[in-house]
Amino acid sequence: RSSYISKGGIIMNVGVIGATGKAGQLILQEAIERGHDVTAIVRNAAKVTANVTILERDVLALTKDDLNEFDAIVNAFNAAPGEETKHIEVGRHLINLLAGSTTRLFVVGGAGSLFVDESHSTRVMETPDFPEAYYPTASNMGKNLIELQGQQDVTWTYLSPAGFFDPSGQRTGTYSVGGEQMILNAKGESYISYADYAIAVVDELEKGQHLNERFSVVGEQG
């Protein structure tokens, strides 16, 4: 599937689920700009603005045959309000489709499941100040992570953004990497722009430094 290119890198065949969403669009663009073969996996092809291969399919209607040509699948699915349990449903469907294959599953995760303490006893979403409106999304994305952590036959990565995940933030081109615990930037803030997060996603797809684990990123405000 992968073919080497002259500068020593590898062209990957990447599918992006939710490629018309805020995060998905930027991840799609970042991968295209780096020369990868990218497919937008979307429910509505008319919403795709990039010049890219399109697979028009509801995520829950995807089959093993749809995905077996990809080196990596990015799950940037975002559930509508009131349908947050779809994060578990979609996550489980993709686990089932990719089980036993060599295709990597990369999940655009949430910050709510990060720990706030070194003892890993309290998650961000369990703190008193966590916004109630975000809890259904955070808890269901967190359950998807727990299911991934129990898998033996899927190669996965789950990337949690910072607490303030800024759709309109600048692309600074830099970020810092953390693990299971929330980390802060130079100003003591948990912040990352969508654009810098997209860089981190494609960096990880290329380097594979966090296989079968969750990691997190934080950035500076541009």
Side-chain angles (χ1 to χ4, degrees), residues 4 17 34 39-40 48 72 74 81 102 112 120 185 198 203:
Y4 283 85
I17 293 166
R34 297 202 204 179
T39 299
V48 179
V74 176
T102 57
H120 289 188
N185 64 15
D203 282 352

Side-chain angles (χ1 to χ4, degrees), residues 84-93 140 143-144 147:
E84 292 88 356
T85 55
K86 276 198 171 178
H87 282 292
I88 303 172
E89 199 179 343
V90 167
R92 200 172 285 165
H93 184 58
N140 284 291
K143 286 170 186 168
N144 176 213
E147 292 199 357

Side-chain angles (χ1 to χ4, degrees), residues 102-117:
T102 57
T103 304
R104 284 178 61 193
L105 174 59
F106 191 105
V107 180
V108 175
S113 57
L114 288 167
F115 293 99
V116 295
D117 53 347

Side-chain angles (χ1 to χ4, degrees), residues 114-123 126 179-182:
L114 288 167
F115 293 99
V116 295
D117 53 347
E118 289 183 14
S119 63
H120 289 188
S121 60
T122 306
R123 298 178 188 271
E126 295 160 350
E180 292 275 337
Q181 190 177 336
M182 180 172 271

Side-chain angles (χ1 to χ4, degrees), residues 20-222:
T20 55
K22 288 176 185 173
Q25 277 186 357
L26 289 169
I27 294 165
L28 184 85
Q29 201 56 49
E30 184 71 29
I32 292 168
E33 286 173 7
R34 297 202 204 179
H36 297 297
D37 292 330
V38 191
T39 299
I41 303 172
V42 293
R43 278 189 305 182
N44 185 354
K47 290 185 177 180
V48 179
T49 55
N51 182 18
V52 69
T53 305
I54 299 170
L55 173 58
E56 190 176 41
R57 194 76 45 90
D58 184 276
V59 61
L60 292 172
L62 289 169
T63 66
K64 282 183 184 284
D65 286 344
D66 288 329
L67 304 185
N68 64 11
E69 290 302 311
F70 293 103
D71 296 306
I73 292 293
V74 176
N75 175 12
F77 170 81
N78 191 25
E83 298 182 359
E84 292 88 356
T85 55
K86 276 198 171 178
H87 282 292
I88 303 172
E89 199 179 343
V90 167
R92 200 172 285 165
H93 184 58
L94 294 174
I95 287 168
N96 290 338
L97 294 184
L98 298 177
S101 77
T102 57
T103 304
R104 284 178 61 193
L105 174 59
F106 191 105
V107 180
V108 175
S113 57
L114 288 167
F115 293 99
V116 295
D117 53 347
E118 289 183 14
S119 63
H120 289 188
S121 60
T122 306
R123 298 178 188 271
V124 173
M125 61 185 167
E126 295 160 350
T127 58
D129 295 335
F130 191 78
E132 199 175 318
Y134 296 155
Y135 187 80
T137 297
S139 60
N140 284 291
M141 290 181 96
K143 286 170 186 168
N144 176 213
L145 172 60
I146 290 167
E147 292 199 357
L148 285 167
Q149 289 168 332
Q151 296 305 312
Q152 303 298 322
D153 52 0
V154 176
T155 304
W156 61 273
T157 300
Y158 184 107
L159 177 54
S160 287
F164 182 15
F165 196 15
D166 187 359
S168 55
Q170 289 183 22
R171 185 187 195 276
T172 69
T174 62
Y175 59 89
S176 298
V177 173
E180 292 275 337
Q181 190 177 336
M182 180 172 271
I183 55 171
L184 305 176
N185 64 15
K187 292 181 179 174
E189 299 164 335
S190 177
Y191 174 91
I192 189 87
S193 68
Y194 275 60
D196 285 341
Y197 180 93
I199 295 171
V201 172
V202 183
D203 282 352
E204 171 60 25
L205 289 175
E206 291 176 346
K207 296 171 185 173
Q209 294 178 327
H210 299 276
L211 300 181
N212 300 324
E213 63 183 43
R214 183 257 291 272
F215 74 112
S216 54
V217 286
V218 71
E220 304 298 333
Q221 291 198 45

